[in-house]
């Protein structure tokens, strides 16, 4: 294990949930942390509590990504660790999605991750050292409604991680994926169309493991000398077995048996979202 002390770490989506916990953990370990998000008020509040420096950045905007990387390089000269954490969900049926919903999911969860990585990678390769951590999901192991399109973005991320890991083998750069199951954050409330920042924690936070568990896995990944995939908790990794043909058939039969309830639930989600908009 190597310490992250003194390393320059960029964390996207650092104002809440997993990103905020990760930033806090890296700061405590002695790293220089630069966090980003869109909502400047929440970002500044997190910065004061956590002790990181921050930049406002919407990762779906190419100019913002450019400015983020350029300003960190101008101030610190390098980026040692990139934590691609910012991500959004969308619960409901594909037939109820707008084109804008699809575009936002892919722009945030996939395009931004690939492009930010592409921007920091040459510096890491030139120095022969660096870690890129991608916050993927257990949703990359099994695709289930009503999260079909969200799952597909995380499948895309895992494919990116696997290929890039092979591309940089032996060149001093490590590519990690962290795949959590349900985590106690605002992610689900946001996925259902709520703006949860102001709500009571019972409405804001979904059931799941503490975000601190995921942050610990992210720090462990950046501290190892090799690329790794970490499921949080570990048992989530077992869902990969559901891709095996006999088990896949059982999942299909189970989902098929609840098709009516699924369709009705999807419609209720769409109506609730329309009411919250
Ligand atoms: N919670 C779960 O159950 C769970 C499970 C598996 C994987 N994950 C993944 O974990 C990651 C973090 O989610 P979380 O659970 O911590 O959710 P969260 O509490 O909703 O935090 C999301 C963070 O990302 C930021 N963000 C969203 N869109 C952004 C954009 N376009 N540009 C910059 N920042 C943006 C948000 O701030 P602003 O809105 O202010 O920009 C916030 O800081 C996501 O990739 C998610 O898919 C979550």
């Amino acid at each position: 294990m190597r310490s992250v002390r003194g390393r320059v770490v960029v964390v996207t989506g650092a104002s809440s949930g997993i990103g905020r916990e990760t930033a806090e953990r890296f700061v405590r370990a002695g790293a220089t942390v630069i966090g980003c998000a869109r909502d400047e008020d929440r970002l500044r509040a997190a910065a004061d509590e956590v002790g990181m420096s921050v930049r406002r950045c919407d990762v779906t905007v190419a100019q913002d990504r450019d400015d983020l990387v350029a300003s960190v390089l101008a101030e610190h000269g390098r980026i040692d660790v990139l934590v691609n954490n910012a991500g959004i969900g969308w619960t409901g049926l594909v037939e109820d999605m707008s084109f804008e919903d699809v575009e936002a999911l892919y722009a945030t969860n996939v395009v931004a991750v690939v492009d930010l990585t592409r921007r920091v990678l040459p510096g890491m390769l030139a120095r022969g050292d660096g870690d890129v951590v991608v916050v993927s999901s257990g949703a990359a192991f099994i695709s289930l409604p009503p999260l079909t399109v969200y799952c597909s973005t995380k499948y895309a991320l895992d494919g990116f991680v696997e290929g890039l890991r092979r591309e940089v083998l032996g060149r001093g750069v490590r590519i990690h994926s962290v795949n959590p199951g349900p985590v106690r954050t605002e992610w689900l409330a946001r996925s259902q169309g709520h703006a949860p920042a102001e709500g009571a924690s019972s409405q804001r936070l979904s059931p799941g493991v503490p975000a601190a568990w995921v942050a610990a896995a992210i720090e462990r990944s950046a501290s190892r000398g090799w690329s790794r995939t970490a499921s949080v908790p570990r048992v989530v990794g077992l869902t990969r077995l559901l891709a095996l043909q006999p088990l896949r058939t059982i999942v299909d039969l189970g989902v098929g048996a609840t098709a009516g309830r699924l369709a009705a639930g999807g419609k209720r989600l769409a109506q609730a979202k329309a009411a919250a908009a």
Side-chain angles (χ1 to χ4, degrees), residues 116-137:
L116 272 173
T117 304
R118 184 190 68 80
R119 286 169 194 265
V120 303
L121 201 54
M124 291 181 172
L125 289 169
R127 287 192 309 283
D129 186 35
D131 291 270
V132 176
V133 184
V134 172
V135 179
S136 178
S137 172

Side-chain angles (χ1 to χ4, degrees), residues 12-19 36-39 57-60 85-88 108-109 135-138 150 154 180-188 190 206:
T12 66
S15 61
S16 71
I18 295 167
C36 82
R38 293 166 301 179
D39 182 329
C57 168
D58 180 341
V59 296
T60 66
N85 165 74
I88 56 171
T108 313
N109 295 5
V135 179
S136 178
S137 172
Y150 172 74
K154 297 298 185 177
V183 186
R184 192 172 151 72
T185 71
E186 297 171 357
W187 174 88
L188 184 62
R190 289 182 196 237
S206 57

Side-chain angles (χ1 to χ4, degrees), residues 67-148:
D67 292 346
L68 172 68
V69 173
S71 77
V72 176
L73 291 181
E75 195 173 336
H76 301 283
R78 64 188 201 280
I79 295 172
D80 297 309
V81 181
L82 170 65
V83 182
N84 280 305
N85 165 74
I88 56 171
W90 196 93
T91 45
L93 303 178
V94 175
E95 69 210 45
D96 293 323
M97 273 185 107
S98 69
F99 170 68
E100 288 73 23
D101 294 329
V102 177
E103 206 174 32
L105 272 185
Y106 268 84
T108 313
N109 295 5
V110 183
V111 176
V113 173
V114 175
D115 188 50
L116 272 173
T117 304
R118 184 190 68 80
R119 286 169 194 265
V120 303
L121 201 54
M124 291 181 172
L125 289 169
R127 287 192 309 283
D129 186 35
D131 291 270
V132 176
V133 184
V134 172
V135 179
S136 178
S137 172
F141 301 152
I142 176 168
S143 187
L144 284 174
L147 286 168
T148 304

Side-chain angles (χ1 to χ4, degrees), residues 9 12 26 32 57 62 84 86 102 115 138 149 151 162 180 187 192 206 242 252:
V9 180
T12 66
F26 274 103
T32 299
C57 168
N84 280 305
V102 177
D115 188 50
V149 179
C151 292
E162 189 176 328
W187 174 88
Q192 292 172 341
S206 57
L242 297 174
D252 288 345

